[in-house]
Amino acid sequence: MALPKIRILATGGTIAGEADPGNDGGRYRAGVRPVTALLAAVPELDGIARLDAEQILALDSKDMGPDGWLCLLSAARRALADAQVDGLVILHGTDTLEESAYFLHLALPAGKPVVLTGAMRPADHPEADGPANLRAAVSLAASAGAADKGVLVVMNAQAHGARDLIKARTTGLDAFEAGQPWATSRPDGRFATLTPSILPRVDILPGYAGAPAMLIDACVADGARGLVLALTGHGSVPKAWEPALLRARTQGVAILRASRCSGPVIRNANADDDGAGWLTAGDLPPPKARVALMLALAAGWDADTLQTRLPGF
Ligand code: SIN
């Protein structure tokens, strides 16, 4: 029986990183090694799947943004629509991996396996973790059990669903956490038919003791169509922010309450969300709530649809 055909899409990251020759302090540059070299370093992949590969981007993922997501989305949709392709593996930097993974989770059709992976150590590290992560990601994408799970992420011999995964630590091979086992993941794909050429700008504003309201006006004046408030505690809006938020709402800017803590922001529980016309993030962390809001605004959801459907993400 023929091995499954897996397409690899490479975007850069530490998995494609190399020591910086201009720096002897242990710094490295992400996204410099081409995908062909990454695959050649793991010859046993040939016994797991038939592979082809595309170098989509070559970034440190701190520089990933909405344009990169759209580029990745169109390559991923093209791959999944190819009847010859059984599954997809995406190589990505770990810093914003959870945002790209969640974006794709919402915007790709359910069905064929889609698995993201990266690495915490660069490719030329003597104990690089990239090859093992790549092997595990290809094995998962080649397995029937990974179909219809939505987007999955493999790191450090563990798989996670894109919705719940976060990078929780700056260092260490165990940098990622997710509450749920991957096998219980459900596909989403609610924006699978949306084909945006741009994504509306949504900014995240941090809540902290004494945070100034002028950041709200500055974001709106600079073109933001939505604001995700990464607030303290269970999503408490500082009194000093209320006039600026009212001004923003009057201009049609979507306001979404989220928390800098983990755990839910409950609608109308400690703010008059219905009265103020604010959205709530539930248990989605601010960066993922932003991704969802960008897609919802791109889809042209009106205020009522946003209020009823967005908290359910
Ligand atoms: C990046 O996110 O591209 C750099 C950091 C990493 O991949 O671990």
Side-chain angles (χ1 to χ4, degrees):
M1 206 172 71
L3 292 172
K5 169 91 178 276
I6 303 298
R7 179 156 304 160
I8 314 279
L9 301 180
T11 70
T14 293
I15 193 166
E18 291 179 0
D20 183 348
N23 175 275
D24 60 6
R27 271 193 227 152
Y28 66 91
R29 293 176 302 160
V32 294
R33 194 169 280 198
V35 64
T36 44
L38 301 180
L39 296 182
V42 194
E44 63 271 31
L45 291 175
D46 288 342
I48 303 172
R50 293 172 294 131
L51 301 178
D52 65 22
E54 278 180 48
Q55 186 79 48
I56 301 298
L57 298 164
L59 295 175
D60 184 315
S61 80
K62 67 182 169 57
D63 299 319
M64 181 64 94
D67 290 347
W69 292 340
L70 292 178
C71 166
L72 185 52
L73 178 62
S74 85
R77 282 180 174 166
R78 214 170 39 241
L80 295 176
D82 183 338
Q84 306 299 313
V85 172
D86 297 301
L88 191 56
V89 168
I90 299 170
L91 310 185
H92 198 289
T94 64
D95 283 358
T96 62
L97 187 148
E98 69 212 59
E99 289 162 70
S100 296
Y102 189 56
F103 175 77
L104 295 173
H105 185 64
L106 296 179
L108 287 178
K112 296 178 184 176
V114 178
V115 182
L116 275 76
T117 194
M120 293 300 291
R121 296 174 179 154
D124 58 358
H125 188 286
E127 292 174 40
D129 53 329
N133 288 342
L134 177 55
R135 194 179 316 113
V138 171
S139 297
L140 186 60
S143 72
D148 279 320
K149 297 288 180 207
V151 171
L152 300 173
V153 176
V154 165
M155 288 293 294
N156 195 31
Q158 291 187 351
H160 310 281
R163 189 195 181 283
D164 294 318
L165 171 94
I166 55 163
K167 185 173 182 181
R169 284 171 282 281
T170 56
T171 57
L173 299 183
D174 61 346
F176 282 84
E177 273 179 8
Q180 306 294 323
W182 73 272
T184 63
S185 294
R186 294 281 164 267
D188 193 301
R190 72 187 72 188
F191 296 107
T193 58
L194 182 70
T195 52
S197 51
I198 54 161
L199 291 167
R201 170 154 156 209
V202 174
D203 292 329
I204 300 178
L205 292 173
Y208 53 91
M214 52 76 65
L215 294 176
I216 297 164
D217 292 320
C219 290
V220 173
D222 204 40
R225 297 222 3 241
L227 297 176
V228 171
L229 312 180
L231 296 161
T232 54
H234 38 62
S236 305
V237 176
K239 268 200 190 335
W241 284 20
E242 287 173 6
L245 291 176
L246 184 60
R247 280 194 293 279
R249 280 300 298 135
T250 308
Q251 292 177 57
V253 175
I255 308 292
L256 190 152
R257 284 198 304 127
S259 176
R260 66 186 203 183
C261 306
S262 58
V265 172
I266 299 167
R267 186 156 190 80
N268 293 319
N270 69 324
D272 180 12
D273 294 304
D274 287 347
W278 294 337
L279 307 162
T280 39
D283 65 354
L284 270 188
K288 288 187 185 178
R290 171 178 176 254
V291 164
L293 182 54
M294 290 169 96
L295 282 164
L297 292 174
W301 287 10
D302 61 20
D304 284 346
T305 313
L306 283 168
Q307 283 191 23
T308 50
R309 293 192 53 200
L310 207 54
F313 273 77

